[in-house]
Amino acid sequence: MSALFFSTVSVALAEIGDKTQLLALLLATRFKKPVPIILAITLATLANHGLAAVLGNYLNHLISPDYLSWIAATSFMLMGMWILIPDKLDDTPTKTHHWGAFLTTLVLFFLVEIGDKTQIATIILATHYSATLQVIAGTTVGMLLANVPVVVLGRFAADKLPLQWIRWITALLFILLGAMALIIS
């Protein structure tokens, strides 16, 4: 249960102010069709985070448990520091609106999530917890918790969130998890 819970909470918090959340806001204001956008975000996240969790699970079997605990702890701490750096959405292709809301969201969300903080976090969580399905479910739910309100409420929701505080709290959670992993190992 801790894999599901921590995956959900950490990705939901890490996603706030992230470039994929900014993309969700952009798509919501461009298409004004929340249902296909939310469905596409769900599918893109399941595919992207599914691949990331499978990679994390593979690494878990490939690397010695002694080294893996140190790598996971260090990765959690580095992720905590990386979260403090705000994202910008400045390299998103803009000539995709003729594809429609669903296909545009599906393709852009999947591509923008590649190498993103939440994808890297999914890999780390999968190596740490060895519960691939729980991690995929948790990170997908976390992604939806952060993005569905933005899609539904648009700019109002994004402008009202205390992004700096959320980044600091999320960073602290990742750093504490890293420290706990070091102490336990």
Side-chain angles (χ1 to χ4, degrees):
M1 187 59 137
S2 63
L4 179 66
F5 176 76
F6 192 77
S7 295
T8 301
V9 171
S10 61
V11 168
L13 291 173
E15 180 64 14
I16 296 174
D18 192 70
K19 65 185 171 192
T20 46
Q21 190 180 51
L22 298 174
L23 176 62
L25 176 61
L26 174 76
L27 293 166
T29 57
R30 179 177 291 165
F31 289 107
K32 296 174 179 54
K33 294 182 178 182
V35 173
I37 292 170
I38 292 166
L39 288 174
I41 288 171
T42 304
L43 288 178
T45 302
L46 280 169
N48 192 294
H49 289 199
L51 292 170
V54 167
L55 175 62
N57 191 7
Y58 173 73
L59 292 173
N60 194 18
H61 290 79
L62 184 67
I63 301 170
S64 163
D66 295 331
Y67 292 122
L68 192 58
S69 62
W70 284 94
I71 292 169
T74 304
S75 297
F76 277 122
M77 290 180 187
L78 290 172
M79 181 63 64
M81 291 183 274
W82 187 15
I83 285 171
L84 295 174
I85 302 168
D87 279 334
K88 291 183 241 167
L89 189 64
D90 53 9
D91 56 356
T92 302
T94 57
K95 296 184 181 187
T96 55
H97 65 278
H98 62 280
W99 291 354
F102 179 80
L103 189 56
T104 299
T105 304
L106 182 70
V107 170
L108 290 180
F109 221 84
F110 183 85
L111 292 175
V112 170
E113 186 63 14
I114 293 173
D116 192 58
K117 292 173 197 154
T118 51
Q119 185 192 42
I120 304 298
T122 302
I123 294 169
I124 296 166
L125 289 162
T127 61
H128 182 70
Y129 285 109
S130 300
T132 306
L133 292 178
Q134 289 181 22
V135 169
I136 294 168
T139 59
T140 301
V141 169
M143 185 71 77
L144 293 173
L145 286 173
N147 285 298
V148 169
V150 170
V151 171
V152 173
L153 300 175
R155 190 169 299 279
F156 175 77
D159 291 342
K160 301 298 181 193
L161 295 171
L163 297 180
Q164 189 61 32
W165 279 101
I166 292 168
R167 279 190 199 97
W168 280 100
I169 291 167
T170 306
L172 181 62
L173 286 173
F174 271 97
I175 291 168
L176 286 174
L177 186 64
M180 287 178 5
L182 281 177
I183 291 168
I184 292 170
S185 63

